Amino acid sequence: MDQAVLDFVYNHRIEWLNDPTVIFSHLLTPRWLFLAVLAWGLYSRRWSPAFAVGLGEVTALVLKWIIDRPRPPEFYQLTQVVDSGMPSAHTVAIFALAMVIRKPWAWAFAVASALARMYVGVHWLTDILVGVVIGVAVGAFVSWGSRPRSGVKVADL
């Protein structure tokens, strides 16, 4: 299935979309995304988005090292990437962020980023799908951990 989807995307690329999609894909790298939400965290004092992106990226990098799945052949790639492909770190990080932010525009960026990674030919469909699942799980974990808690406080003891 991975090969069929990649072939379909490759055969239906639109020439004038190639460069903008590569640029969009590069702008949403986990490190740039982390720096952007960290800067926003400094302004807003809301740290869960930066934590979600950072934890998502670290999780993805560890899994890439363990799984060590090759990316699609360079023939399909509009931009050359040589490290492991499973899971897509871009997808993990931005879906973790979307899960924490929970706004329609964040989900739209997450889906667009995931599709862009396939469009530029650097990920298989399953790399993306695994990235979505891990990203949502990381985002849910961070959201759960950053919820205000009620109950007994240390001062009450």
Side-chain angles (χ1 to χ4, degrees):
M1 180 164 96
D2 274 339
Q3 187 64 54
V5 170
L6 188 61
D7 286 336
F8 178 84
V9 170
Y10 177 80
N11 290 322
H12 291 86
R13 282 183 181 152
I14 301 168
E15 186 66 33
W16 63 268
L17 277 179
N18 292 353
D19 289 338
T21 306
V22 169
I23 292 167
F24 175 73
S25 182
H26 283 297
L27 287 175
L28 289 177
T29 61
R31 287 172 190 96
W32 284 114
L33 190 61
F34 176 74
L35 290 174
V37 294
L38 184 61
W40 182 64
L42 290 170
Y43 169 75
S44 68
R45 301 285 187 225
R46 186 167 178 224
W47 302 107
S48 56
F51 185 66
V53 171
L55 182 60
E57 181 178 12
V58 168
T59 303
L61 293 175
V62 168
L63 289 172
K64 281 177 180 284
W65 179 74
I66 292 168
I67 298 168
D68 196 27
R69 180 183 189 196
R71 291 180 182 267
E74 287 182 29
F75 171 79
Y76 292 99
Q77 297 181 19
L78 292 176
T79 184
Q80 188 176 4
V81 184
V82 294
D83 66 340
S84 298
M86 169 79 82
S88 166
H90 282 71
T91 304
V92 172
I94 201 157
F95 271 86
L97 177 63
M99 188 69 182
V100 169
I101 294 176
R102 294 180 187 250
K103 300 281 186 194
W105 61 265
W107 291 108
F109 267 99
V111 170
S113 175
L115 293 175
R117 299 304 286 166
M118 283 193 331
Y119 185 89
V120 299
V122 296
H123 280 292
W124 302 103
L125 174 63
T126 50
D127 297 344
I128 299 299
L129 295 176
V130 169
V132 169
V133 170
I134 295 168
V136 167
V138 166
F141 173 76
V142 171
S143 291
W144 175 81
S146 62
R147 268 191 346 228
R149 305 278 190 255
S150 61
V152 178
K153 297 179 181 140
V154 175
D156 294 337
L157 296 177

